[in-house]
């Protein structure tokens, strides 16, 4: 036996999940990137930078120009077009409309009334209307009278007389039919009677004999 001491590992203790984290840990080194994968990693930032550059160079000036145009149009409408419109309407259009109404429209209305309408009405009342009345009285009235007489004659000889003749012919036939129906009804009523009094009431010509 030797005097060496055997080194034994210490007994494992309970797991300590709440160990204190190291104050500083060196950053993990990035995995080596091959030459083919490097452009794919650099591409998105490059595209974003290009898009931002295009937006700054093209979109932003256009947007600023549009906002400037809108603001300028609002200011132009408020401080130039609207006052100019009011001025023109008050001091130019309104006087011009008044002059046109007084110097053009009213004279035209007066001329149309006194030179066209009134003479036309006078001609119609002294010339045209009496001529129409005379023509109606001496020309159309006899023709209308003759036409009315023809219509009355046609109605009398083509409608009333055939109806009257038809009534004259059908009246005896209707009487015969009514008499036959009444006789048949009386005969049927006497045959159904069972006593002499009933037969005498229904058929007086039978004398109450029941025959």
């Amino acid at each position: 036996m030797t005097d060496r001491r055997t080194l034994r590992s210490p007994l494992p203790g309970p797991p300590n999940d709440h160990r204190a984290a190291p104050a500083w840990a060196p950053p993990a080194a990035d995995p080596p990137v091959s030459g083919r994968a490097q452009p794919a990693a650099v591409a998105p930032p490059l595209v974003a930078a290009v898009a931002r550059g295009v937006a700054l160079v093209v979109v932003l000036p256009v947007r600023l120009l549009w906002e400037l145009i809108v603001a300028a149009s609002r200011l132009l409408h408020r401080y130039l077009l609207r006052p100019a419109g009011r001025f023109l309407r008050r001091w130019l259009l309104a006087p011009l409309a008044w002059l046109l109404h007084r110097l053009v429209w009213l004279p035209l209305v007066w001329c149309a009334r006194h030179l066209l309408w009134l003479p036309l009405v006078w001609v119609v009342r002294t010339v045209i209307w009496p001529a129409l009345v005379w023509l109606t009285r001496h020309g159309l009235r006899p023709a209308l009278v003759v036409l009315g007489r023809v219509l009355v004659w046609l109605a009398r000889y083509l409608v009333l007389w055939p109806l009257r003749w038809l009534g004259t012919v059908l009246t005896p036939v209707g009487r015969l039919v009514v008499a036959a129906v009444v006789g048949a009804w009386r005969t049927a009523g006497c045959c159904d009677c069972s006593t002499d009094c009933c037969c005498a009431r229904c058929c007086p010509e039978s004398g109450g004999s029941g025959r």
Side-chain angles (χ1 to χ4, degrees):
M1 296 181 63
T2 61
D3 296 334
R4 292 181 179 179
R5 295 181 180 179
T6 58
L7 297 176
R8 295 181 181 179
S9 61
L11 295 176
N16 189 4
D17 296 335
H18 302 282
R19 294 178 181 178
W24 176 84
D30 295 333
V33 180
S34 61
R36 295 181 179 178
Q38 187 174 1
V42 180
L46 181 60
V47 173
V50 172
R52 291 178 182 177
V54 172
L56 290 175
V57 174
V58 179
V59 179
L60 184 60
V62 173
R63 181 62 180 274
L64 293 177
L65 181 61
W66 176 253
E67 294 294 336
L68 181 61
I69 292 173
V70 171
S73 62
R74 291 178 180 175
L75 294 176
L76 184 65
H77 181 267
R78 178 178 297 179
Y79 295 103
L80 182 60
L81 297 180
R82 186 181 296 176
R86 292 177 181 175
F87 176 80
L88 292 176
R89 184 175 63 253
R90 181 176 299 176
W91 300 104
L92 181 62
L93 297 180
L96 182 60
W98 184 84
L99 290 176
L100 291 177
H101 179 74
R102 294 292 181 179
L103 300 179
V104 178
W105 178 250
L106 291 181
L108 287 177
V109 172
W110 186 89
C111 292
R113 177 179 177 82
H114 292 83
L115 299 179
L116 294 178
W117 177 251
L118 293 180
L120 182 62
V121 172
W122 181 82
V123 170
V124 170
R125 288 181 178 179
T126 56
V127 179
I128 298 178
W129 181 252
L132 291 177
V133 172
W134 183 87
L135 181 63
T136 303
R137 182 176 298 175
H138 295 84
L140 296 179
R141 185 176 180 181
L144 293 176
V145 171
V146 173
L147 180 61
R149 291 178 179 178
V150 170
L151 292 178
V152 170
W153 184 86
L154 292 176
R156 178 181 298 176
Y157 290 96
L158 296 180
V159 178
L160 295 179
W161 282 24
L163 290 177
R164 185 180 299 176
W165 177 81
L166 185 62
T168 304
V169 173
L170 293 179
T171 299
V173 177
R175 291 178 180 176
L176 293 177
V177 172
V178 171
V181 171
V182 172
W185 178 75
R186 289 182 177 180
T187 304
C190 292
C191 292
D192 292 338
C193 296
S194 59
T195 58
D196 294 339
C197 62
C198 180
C199 292
R201 184 175 67 252
C202 296
C203 305
E205 63 274 8
S206 62
S209 62
R211 297 178 182 178

